[in-house]
Amino acid sequence: MNHKSILQFIKCVRDSFNEAPIIYTHGACYQFHLILKQVFKSTEPYMTDDKQHVLSKINDKFYDINGEYVNVDGDMLESVIKLKPQHAEYWDNIHRNQTLKYMMSKYNKNL
């Protein structure tokens, strides 16, 4: 599993439906981690230091639906926190609620 194949897979998921970048950055980032974990077995969950976004660490790089996740200056992230297994259910529940709120607001705008 090299960096290029990981980015190609992420692009495939991102391009699979128009709302993928929004869904996987506004509530379903943990679910995206689970997708990556199925394909790339060594994937580990991390969260940003503000505890608002789940990232996937594969080898020595961090990823989300937009590809490689780096600091603004392009350096490797240093202030991420490893997501503990007991917190996975918490993330799953919190972010499912956020996703549902987003989808409902989008649905109501389209009425």
Side-chain angles (χ1 to χ4, degrees):
M1 92 190 97
N2 62 41
H3 180 64
K4 185 177 178 180
S5 64
I6 295 166
L7 291 176
Q8 287 173 335
F9 178 78
I10 290 172
K11 183 180 182 331
C12 182
V13 173
R14 186 176 57 242
D15 294 347
S16 67
F17 64 103
N18 290 338
E19 302 291 327
I22 295 168
I23 296 298
Y24 291 127
T25 57
H26 291 86
C29 52
Y30 180 72
Q31 285 73 21
F32 183 69
H33 162 75
L34 295 176
I35 292 169
L36 291 178
K37 178 80 174 160
Q38 283 296 311
V39 177
F40 307 103
K41 300 300 182 194
S42 66
T43 303
E44 298 178 294
Y46 280 75
M47 63 182 153
T48 55
D49 60 351
D50 63 3
K51 299 180 182 173
Q52 296 298 309
H53 190 50
V54 173
L55 306 172
S56 295
K57 183 177 182 186
I58 307 172
N59 299 328
D60 62 344
K61 297 183 185 299
F62 294 92
Y63 300 91
D64 72 359
I65 190 63
N66 294 307
E68 185 178 0
Y69 194 95
V70 294
N71 285 330
V72 175
D73 58 8
D75 293 334
M76 179 71 159
L77 289 174
E78 295 177 8
S79 58
V80 294
I81 305 162
K82 186 159 170 101
L83 188 61
K84 297 178 182 176
Q86 64 267 31
H87 295 136
E89 185 176 334
Y90 164 80
W91 270 93
D92 195 33
N93 289 332
I94 293 297
H95 290 287
R96 282 182 198 271
N97 289 336
Q98 289 178 354
T99 303
L100 180 59
K101 286 178 187 175
Y102 168 78
M103 294 305 289
M104 290 301 293
S105 69
K106 178 138 179 90
Y107 174 77
N108 288 333
K109 286 179 185 176
N110 289 332
L111 287 180

